[in-house]
């Protein structure tokens, strides 16, 4: 476990970043967060303030509000950083199709600035958030790290490009780095544009849900605490340096099955419309996590049934407190 370290989390106010922050702050680490609170979805800043208030912290944490595209963003960091978790990115496959330039600009330049900072300030380790979207439509499943990379959205291309920069800095500057390819992450503080959170809200509001395609497409839904485990394991393990790992649950279900499970938890009348598949959506995501299991001792612990219950309870609480 990372303990008493100086840690920088980029994108630390976002979904996965805030869950990582919550875990690391409990272990007496000093955390710096860089986040520009972009307006991709609303309520991020309020939610982040509520989180820090509920943790009753002020001394072990520093927030730099600003954009990583600007390399001066790092100028007020005066301590030596042991680990950078680079999670900041403009997420959203569908959004990236309409906003290719913005997404590539944001994600690629941010990553290069983080890596430049790391080599110039002797940062101990960089863990980079990548995505299963780099594979595109799978040729075989489960998908291992050697699977061909055929990204089908500007977002996925930007994540692949980020990995390649990480690899370059790792080889040329001997910077200890790893990239982790996350599979459809869900859980408390989840992004409102993602299926599970969206479906739960719509069903609770008595509204229709839209399923893209025939709903038979499988998704390797992965609970956020398992992703947080993987991030920390990669930061701690020297064998992970220079490597890329899939981080998924490796137990996918179809979107139809997911919707059945959500209706069962909420116990509500079904109201589903099937609509045309959206550009950028892949046919299947299914991770082979053998490498992460063997090298990092990564073990996803939260089954989809348990993860959905936890997510539903978080969403209910959130709606009640509004
Ligand atoms: P998120 O949008 O909730 O978090 C990203 C955070 O980064 C946001 O708070 C945003 O304000 C910040 N940010 C973006 N660009 C920035 C910039 N230029 N400067 C400063 N801050 C910036 O998204 P998330 O779901 O938590 O994703 C975190 C990381 O995980 C991303 O790199 C994403 O590509 C990757 N990922 C997520 C998933 C998933 O299912 N959620 C799957 C695969 C990969």
């Amino acid at each position: 476990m990372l303990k008493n370290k100086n840690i920088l989390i980029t994108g630390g106010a976002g979904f996965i970043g805030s869950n990582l922050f919550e875990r690391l702050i409990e272990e007496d680490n000093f955390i710096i967060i860089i986040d520009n609170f972009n307006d991709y979805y609303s309520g991020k800043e309020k939610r982040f303030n509520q989180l820090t208030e509920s943790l009753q912290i002020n001394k072990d944490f520093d927030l730099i509000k600003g954009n990583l595209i600007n390399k001066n963003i790092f100028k007020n960091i005066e301590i030596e950083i042991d680990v950078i978790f680079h999670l900041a990115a403009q997420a959203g496959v569908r959004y990236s199709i309409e906003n290719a330039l913005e997404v590539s600009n944001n994600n690629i330049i941010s990553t290069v600035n983080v890596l430049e900072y790391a080599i110039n300030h002797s940062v101990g380790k960089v863990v980079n958030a990548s995505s299963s979207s780099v594979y595109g439509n799978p040729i075989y499943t489960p998908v291992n790290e050697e699977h061909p990379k055929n990204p089908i959205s500007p977002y996925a291309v930007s994540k692949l490009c980020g990995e390649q920069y990480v690899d370059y800095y790792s080889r040329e500057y001997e910077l200890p780095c790893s990239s982790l390819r996350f599979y459809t992450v869900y859980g408390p503080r989840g992004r409102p544009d993602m299926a599970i959170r969206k479906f739960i809200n719509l069903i609770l509001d008595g509204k229709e849900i839209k399923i893209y395609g025939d709903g038979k497409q499988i998704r390797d839904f992965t609970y956020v605490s398992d992703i947080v485990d993987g991030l920390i394991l990669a930061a701690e393990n020297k064998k992970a340096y220079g490597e890329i790992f899939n981080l998924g649950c490796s137990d996918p279900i179809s979107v139809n099955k997911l919707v059945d499970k959500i209706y069962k938890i909420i116990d509500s009348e079904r109201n589903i419309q099937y609509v045309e598949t959206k550009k950028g959506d892949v046919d299947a995501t299914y991770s082979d996590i053998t490498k992460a299991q063997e090298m990092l001792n990564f073990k996803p612990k939260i089954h989809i049934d348990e993860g959905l219950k936890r997510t539903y309870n978080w969403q209910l609480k959130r709606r009640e407190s509004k």
Side-chain angles (χ1 to χ4, degrees), residues 10-18 34-41 44 47 64 66-70 73 86-92 106-107 110 128-133 155 159 180-186 189-191 194 222:
T10 73
F15 163 38
I16 301 171
S18 64
I34 299 182
D35 202 298
N36 65 348
F37 295 91
N38 72 13
D39 58 6
Y40 180 55
Y41 58 89
K44 204 181 293 169
R47 198 185 62 182
I64 301 175
N67 199 321
L68 285 158
I69 285 184
N70 170 9
I73 190 78
H86 177 44
L87 298 168
Q90 175 56 60
N106 188 70
N107 296 357
S110 298
N128 173 50
S130 186
S131 162
S132 63
S133 64
Y155 165 76
K159 298 310 280 184
L180 307 177
R181 294 179 181 146
F182 304 161
Y183 279 73
T184 327
V185 190
Y186 72 102
R189 292 196 291 277
R191 293 198 336 249
M194 296 192 71
T222 308

Side-chain angles (χ1 to χ4, degrees), residues 1 7 10 23 42-43 47 67 74 85 96 117-118 142 145 164 175 181 234-235 262 282 285 288 292 298 304:
M1 187 66 204
I7 295 173
T10 73
R23 177 89 68 87
S42 61
R47 198 185 62 182
N67 199 321
F74 303 99
F85 290 99
S96 77
Y117 173 80
E145 290 80 359
Q164 288 179 340
L175 178 67
R181 294 179 181 146
I262 298 177
V282 297
T285 64
D288 180 335
F298 170 69
I304 184 78

Side-chain angles (χ1 to χ4, degrees), residues 84-229:
I84 299 179
F85 290 99
H86 177 44
L87 298 168
Q90 175 56 60
V93 162
R94 291 172 196 154
Y95 178 86
S96 77
I97 299 202
E98 305 294 325
N99 302 279
L101 188 61
E102 179 205 322
V103 171
S104 60
N105 216 18
N106 188 70
N107 296 357
I108 297 169
I109 296 176
S110 298
T111 302
V112 175
N113 276 340
V114 166
L115 294 164
E116 281 286 316
Y117 173 80
I119 56 164
N120 291 323
H121 295 81
S122 308
V123 169
K125 167 94 203 219
V126 178
V127 181
N128 173 50
S130 186
S131 162
S132 63
S133 64
V134 302
Y135 298 115
N137 287 315
I139 295 163
Y140 58 84
T141 57
V143 170
N144 58 12
E145 290 80 359
E146 280 68 49
H147 184 286
K149 317 303 173 286
N150 300 312
I152 59 168
S153 67
Y155 165 76
V157 175
S158 77
K159 298 310 280 184
L160 185 58
C161 184
E163 281 184 8
Q164 288 179 340
Y165 270 110
V166 168
D167 180 54
Y168 162 74
Y169 280 85
S170 163
R171 282 182 289 102
E172 290 299 314
Y173 297 93
E174 295 181 356
L175 178 67
C177 325
S178 315
S179 286
L180 307 177
R181 294 179 181 146
F182 304 161
Y183 279 73
T184 327
V185 190
Y186 72 102
R189 292 196 291 277
R191 293 198 336 249
D193 62 320
M194 296 192 71
I196 292 180
R197 178 150 171 211
K198 212 160 60 179
F199 289 164
I200 292 176
N201 269 336
L202 287 169
I203 296 171
L204 286 171
D205 288 338
K207 291 187 179 154
E208 173 188 90
I209 62 170
K210 282 191 178 57
I211 295 182
Y212 295 107
D214 61 8
K216 290 185 184 148
Q217 64 275 31
I218 55 163
R219 292 287 177 269
D220 196 350
F221 297 106
T222 308
Y223 194 69
V224 66
S225 63
D226 286 328
I227 294 292
V228 167
D229 286 350

Side-chain angles (χ1 to χ4, degrees), residues 12 36 52 80 93 159 206 230 235 253 261 292 307:
N36 65 348
T52 53
E80 256 186 39
V93 162
K159 298 310 280 184
I253 58 168
K261 286 178 184 292

